[in-house]
Amino acid sequence: QPDSPRARPAPPTPPVMGNCCTTAESAKNEEAISQLKAEKDDSDAETEDDDDDYVEDLPPPAAYLKKGPRSSVSAEAYGDWNKKTTTYTPPFYQKPPETEQRLRGALAKSFMFNSLDEKDMKAVIGAFRQVDKNPGDIVIQQGDTDAKELFMLEKGELHVFKKFSQSETGDGKRVFQYDSAGDVFGELALLYNCPRA
């Protein structure tokens, strides 16, 4: 009796839905995914930690601290401090035309004077005066603060000595020699308004 309820076969049980492709490889993939998630969480935590590591003011390098004060600062004053006087008259010392020609030739080689126009060149040449020195005389002294002149060698030989520390005795070490007619020296103190080097 197939029509009786007992004779009927039981309906088939629905298949269990699951991952029918679960293999060792997919288990590895799931493990790798969970590992990447864990690493991302760790890097997020590190980023938060890095924010705490910021230092606002770093100390200056040791070499910077040993440098001492800056050697020079240059600026121009404006207003009442820098009014140009129109009454300035440069000094003028009469000299023979041959001396003027030698001065003109020497000044034309100097970076400070080679671009002067004729009027200014005449004023500079007129301001030169002859100073005779004997062997052993000091022309300029390192550290002098009253530098008002530059010098041009017409003939002879001058030795330059430099002290490299305050405790050095004597003249210091010989570092240079002026021996060519037209050599100009002493201009640094004028240009930078500082003691003689």
Side-chain angles (χ1 to χ4, degrees), residues 40-71:
K40 183 181 183 300
D41 291 343
D42 287 347
S43 72
D44 287 346
E46 284 179 18
T47 303
E48 290 172 10
D49 289 346
D50 287 346
D51 293 343
D52 297 338
D53 294 341
Y54 178 73
V55 177
E56 287 189 30
D57 293 326
L58 295 174
Y64 177 79
L65 296 174
K66 294 178 185 176
K67 284 172 68 172
R70 190 171 10 178
S71 60

Side-chain angles (χ1 to χ4, degrees), residues 2-157:
D3 287 24
S4 81
R6 290 181 197 202
R8 231 183 233 194
T13 56
V16 176
M17 298 300 287
N19 191 350
C20 63
C21 301
T22 301
T23 62
E25 186 176 313
S26 64
K28 286 180 189 177
N29 287 344
E30 284 181 30
E31 187 177 315
I33 289 170
S34 62
Q35 187 176 3
L36 287 173
K37 284 181 181 178
E39 286 176 8
K40 183 181 183 300
D41 291 343
D42 287 347
S43 72
D44 287 346
E46 284 179 18
T47 303
E48 290 172 10
D49 289 346
D50 287 346
D51 293 343
D52 297 338
D53 294 341
Y54 178 73
V55 177
E56 287 189 30
D57 293 326
L58 295 174
Y64 177 79
L65 296 174
K66 294 178 185 176
K67 284 172 68 172
R70 190 171 10 178
S71 60
S72 67
V73 175
S74 178
E76 184 176 354
Y78 289 97
D80 291 340
W81 298 99
N82 194 23
K83 288 188 177 179
K84 293 191 176 196
T85 58
T86 55
T87 60
Y88 175 74
T89 306
F92 180 79
Y93 301 96
Q94 193 65 43
K95 52 192 73 63
E98 309 84 51
T99 304
E100 284 186 18
Q101 261 327 96
R102 281 197 308 272
L103 287 170
R104 184 179 297 280
L107 292 175
K109 297 175 191 172
S110 171
F111 78 95
M112 287 194 324
F113 302 108
N114 63 7
S115 62
L116 293 178
D117 61 23
E118 185 57 29
K119 177 185 167 207
D120 292 335
M121 183 63 87
K122 282 183 178 180
V124 169
I125 290 171
F128 270 92
R129 65 183 169 88
Q130 186 165 329
V131 177
D132 295 321
K133 294 290 183 177
N134 296 316
D137 285 352
I138 295 174
V139 179
I140 59 175
Q141 180 81 36
Q142 180 180 355
D144 280 351
T145 57
D146 63 345
K148 298 180 224 161
E149 303 167 314
L150 67 86
F151 296 88
M152 180 183 298
L153 182 66
E154 188 171 15
K155 62 181 176 181
E157 187 175 278

Side-chain angles (χ1 to χ4, degrees), residues 139-140 149-153 158 178 183-188 196:
V139 179
I140 59 175
E149 303 167 314
L150 67 86
F151 296 88
M152 180 183 298
L153 182 66
L158 293 171
Y178 292 103
D183 283 347
V184 177
F185 59 95
E187 74 280 3
L188 293 177
R196 297 277 189 195

